[in-house]
Amino acid sequence: MPPFATRQAMVEAMRSLLSLGLSQGTSGNVSVRWGDGLLVTPSGIPADTLAPDDLVAMDMDGRYDHPLAPSSEWRFHRDILAARPEIGAVVHAHPPYATAFAICGREIPAVHYMIAMAGGPNIRCAPYAPYGTQALSEQALAALSGRSACLLANHGMIATGPTLPRALWLAVEVEALCRQYALALQVGTPLVLSDTEIAETVERFKSYGPRDKATP
């Protein structure tokens, strides 16, 4: 069984999504790589009642042995972790500003240098597919090519990272960027940074972001 600390961290991450205003009710889900499979939040359990033992361990074939069913979005969690060995955790949420752009099917351009945190000069919006389907998983994988975050049309946002704290940090930063972009569109015409400027920032960001205090 995955260690208690890992399961507790996932519970706390789900509660953070609520307290930070990134998800509501039973929306949102989290996974972490575990052994040859993954650990994912269950379907339909509100974050404020979620317990460490509720987390569902799955193999990469989608098999699990748990009284609770895994999140309906387990396919894109599984497929992202399978396709991207550098990713150790996936956060999916429905934050207001990111979801508003997703509802409009709009990507986020390089209107702020912080977009480099997602790996490139834009945050793509994957075309719509019904939730929980293999089609959605495939659209998400394409939108995440060369990126660590994407929007899902008429749905929400995915953020990934080598660790769960890093993925959660990225989810918060993507929502902040979407909020800034929405405000800028009301003020005037946002200036878009060049691909070269963002490429330079991507390199600098390789040592940027949350880290343990013991890390130099």
Side-chain angles (χ1 to χ4, degrees), residues 7 14 16 25 44 53 58 61 65 73 122 137 140 144 152 158 167 200-201 210:
R7 291 179 279 126
M14 285 294 291
S16 291
D53 288 342
M58 305 183 69
D61 291 326
D65 182 14
E73 304 289 18
N122 63 347
S137 178
L144 285 168
L152 303 174
I158 294 174
E200 292 172 354
T201 308

Side-chain angles (χ1 to χ4, degrees), residues 53-76:
D53 288 342
D54 294 334
L55 282 299
V56 181
M58 305 183 69
D59 64 24
M60 288 300 186
D61 291 326
R63 294 186 294 259
Y64 65 95
D65 182 14
H66 196 285
L68 296 176
S71 166
S72 60
E73 304 289 18
W74 66 266
R75 287 176 178 81
F76 68 60

Side-chain angles (χ1 to χ4, degrees), residues 85-212:
E86 79 279 13
I87 292 175
V90 179
V91 171
H92 169 56
H94 302 166
Y97 286 91
T99 302
F101 281 107
I103 287 170
C104 294
R106 292 180 62 169
E107 70 171 28
I108 308 302
V111 292
H112 193 289
Y113 72 84
M114 282 295 287
I115 201 164
M117 66 194 167
N122 63 347
I123 295 174
R124 303 185 188 101
C125 183
Y128 177 76
Y131 79 90
T133 62
Q134 189 59 38
L136 177 60
S137 178
E138 291 167 5
Q139 298 285 20
L141 279 175
L144 285 168
S145 177
R147 303 287 186 272
S148 53
C150 73
L151 306 183
L152 303 174
N154 306 92
H155 187 155
M157 173 258 284
I158 294 174
T160 69
T163 64
L164 182 54
R166 182 82 182 197
L168 183 60
W169 168 79
L170 182 58
V172 172
E173 293 293 339
V174 169
E175 174 65 356
L177 179 60
C178 290
R179 181 173 183 270
Q180 292 159 357
Y181 184 37
L183 291 171
L185 287 169
Q186 295 177 52
V187 172
T189 302
L191 301 177
V192 178
L193 297 170
S194 70
D195 288 359
T196 299
E197 288 167 323
I198 295 304
E200 292 172 354
T201 308
V202 168
E203 286 300 311
R204 297 179 68 184
F205 270 20
K206 288 181 178 179
S207 59
Y208 184 87
R211 65 187 71 188
D212 187 87

